[in-house]
Amino acid sequence: FLLFKATQKELMIPVLFSSFFAIISLSINYLSAVILSLPTLYLLMQFKENKIKALLAYCIGILLSLTMFVFMVINSGDAESYLDDLVSFFQIYGDRTQEERMKSFLYFFRGLIIFIPILLSSIFILNKISYKLTVLVYTLLLWAVTAFLSCLISGNDLVHYLSFLVAPLIILSSIVFINLDIQQRSLVFFVPLFYCMTFMATEIFDNYRKYRIFEMVAPNMDKLSEIMQGDNLISIRIGHVPFYLAEIQPTQKYPFPEYASFFEGSNEDAYWDKSLQGYNFAIVPKNLCLTEELPLTCKNLNTYFEAVFQSNDLELYGPSFVDSFVLYKKI
């Protein structure tokens, strides 16, 4: 947005601020570097008289903000751990199997193909709109391309990654809608609108179903807060739902159930075993110690902790239900 506005009057301050936000987005998700690449380059090329100046201002802003970001990482006191995790994270992306990448491609291509009427219509209206709006349309098209590429690079078929792709397409849809007559709108928008409505309805229904199941499985989640009395809690291979319903904040390094497996690999058991030393409470899946996957962790739990709360029997809902849990307290 800042770059788009800067191209209108060839202002350098918005260009500089744009570079700051680019690094902020990079610190949130490294895939934003791919997503922002082509749209940013295209907008910088739209400067007529100050093209070199705009490129220079953007590069200076990137260097300054990147230096500040690196300084913050170094001052965090654990820069080596951050860099090790970063390398591991990229390694995970690089080690995706061909099957996983094909699954990812099909998942995101399904989302893209639904918007083909919008993409074709956006090209059709280019000769009817102003130059300013034409620049915006091309920016959004490039954004959609790089967003699709970033989804493929990730190798993950995650629903929230779809927002990378859908965001520019939704804005593009608004532009197309305004510049088409009523008959063209009904033809162009029927498929994507129908898809979005059914997709949203399915997601909402699925979330509501899981929520209702969890209410039956663990109806007294407020007891967790009463038992803990403000103490910190470590979660081992458990989802975020117990934290959310009990209004507890995770304080550990890996708050998502699969992250420790990704980053620690064969050292996961030793990692959890060591981490338990700093906590008085631990929440784990109900069947965690029924397998031999984490022997050191389970030995620690059985020796130094006692079970103080657990969810109800899950046989009616399936043994793999992700949020079945046991709460342990250090003896």
Side-chain angles (χ1 to χ4, degrees):
F1 173 76
L2 287 167
L3 277 178
F4 176 68
K5 296 299 287 185
T7 59
Q8 308 307 308
K9 296 182 179 180
E10 304 217 355
L11 301 172
M12 295 301 115
I13 297 299
V15 174
L16 202 59
F17 276 111
S18 174
S19 63
F20 294 158
F21 281 112
I23 297 301
I24 290 172
S25 68
L26 193 71
S27 70
I28 297 169
N29 194 317
Y30 283 96
L31 289 173
S32 64
V34 180
I35 297 171
L36 291 172
S37 58
L38 290 184
T40 298
L41 190 60
Y42 171 73
L43 286 171
L44 287 171
M45 291 297 104
Q46 297 313 301
F47 285 83
K48 295 173 182 174
E49 297 178 1
N50 299 309
K51 191 175 294 183
I52 302 299
K53 194 176 177 181
L55 282 166
L56 189 62
Y58 193 82
C59 290
I60 289 171
I62 289 288
L63 287 173
L64 286 174
S65 47
L66 193 59
T67 301
M68 290 170 61
F69 176 66
V70 171
F71 182 74
M72 287 172 63
V73 170
I74 293 172
N75 272 344
S76 69
D78 199 10
E80 185 179 352
S81 177
Y82 177 85
L83 292 172
D84 287 343
D85 287 345
L86 192 59
V87 171
S88 300
F89 196 69
F90 288 143
Q91 185 69 36
I92 292 164
Y93 276 178
D95 288 343
R96 297 292 183 198
T97 64
Q98 189 174 355
E99 184 181 352
E100 287 175 323
R101 293 196 179 278
M102 180 55 68
K103 187 180 177 183
S104 171
F105 171 79
L106 293 174
Y107 179 77
F108 293 115
F109 185 70
R110 180 190 67 179
L112 182 64
I113 202 171
I114 295 300
F115 283 91
I116 281 181
I118 304 295
L119 294 169
L120 293 176
S121 299
S122 65
I123 298 170
F124 172 75
I125 65 169
L126 285 174
N127 60 347
K128 299 180 179 180
I129 57 179
S130 65
Y131 173 75
K132 178 181 176 180
L133 212 52
T134 300
V135 170
L136 183 56
V137 168
Y138 277 123
T139 302
L140 292 166
L141 288 171
L142 288 170
W143 180 357
V145 169
T146 51
F148 183 67
L149 289 175
S150 70
C151 291
L152 298 186
I153 289 169
S154 76
N156 291 317
D157 56 334
L158 301 175
V159 66
H160 63 278
Y161 274 28
L162 200 61
S163 62
F164 295 159
L165 182 60
V166 170
L169 294 176
I170 291 297
I171 303 170
L172 196 60
S173 299
S174 302
I175 297 171
V176 171
F177 185 85
I178 292 168
N179 289 279
L180 291 180
D181 59 42
I182 190 68
Q183 290 181 335
Q184 291 171 326
R185 288 176 191 173
S186 60
L187 289 171
V188 169
F189 283 88
F190 174 75
V191 172
L193 187 62
F194 179 76
Y195 171 78
C196 291
M197 289 176 67
T198 52
F199 180 78
M200 288 171 63
T202 303
E203 286 294 310
I204 291 169
F205 175 78
D206 188 53
N207 284 336
Y208 180 72
R209 180 186 65 84
K210 289 177 181 177
Y211 179 73
R212 292 294 298 167
I213 290 173
F214 199 86
E215 276 191 328
M216 291 182 278
V217 168
N220 302 314
M221 288 301 296
D222 55 327
K223 284 188 177 180
L224 264 70
S225 300
E226 293 177 14
I227 294 169
M228 290 175 53
Q229 296 182 350
D231 208 338
N232 288 338
L233 171 70
I234 186 172
S235 67
I236 301 173
R237 289 190 175 182
I238 203 73
H240 62 283
V241 177
F243 284 90
Y244 173 75
L245 294 179
E247 298 184 0
I248 299 167
Q249 291 292 333
T251 58
Q252 65 201 72
K253 185 177 179 180
Y254 303 126
F256 296 102
E258 70 279 6
Y259 271 30
S261 299
F262 282 159
F263 289 117
E264 301 298 333
S266 59
N267 296 321
E268 182 190 2
D269 189 22
Y271 169 79
W272 288 126
D273 182 47
K274 183 179 178 181
S275 298
L276 279 169
Q277 298 174 16
Y279 289 86
N280 292 321
F281 290 92
I283 188 168
V284 304
K286 211 168 187 179
N287 63 347
L288 180 74
C289 294
L290 298 180
T291 66
E292 297 296 323
E293 291 185 38
L294 303 176
L296 293 174
T297 305
C298 289
K299 182 181 178 181
N300 194 331
L301 286 170
N302 293 327
T303 306
Y304 301 106
F305 289 78
E306 61 178 346
V308 291
F309 185 85
Q310 65 179 0
S311 57
N312 294 334
D313 192 354
L314 293 177
E315 287 182 4
L316 291 174
Y317 314 107
S320 61
F321 190 69
V322 69
D323 294 308
S324 59
F325 65 89
V326 178
L327 178 70
Y328 284 90
K329 180 182 180 181
K330 189 170 284 185
I331 302 172

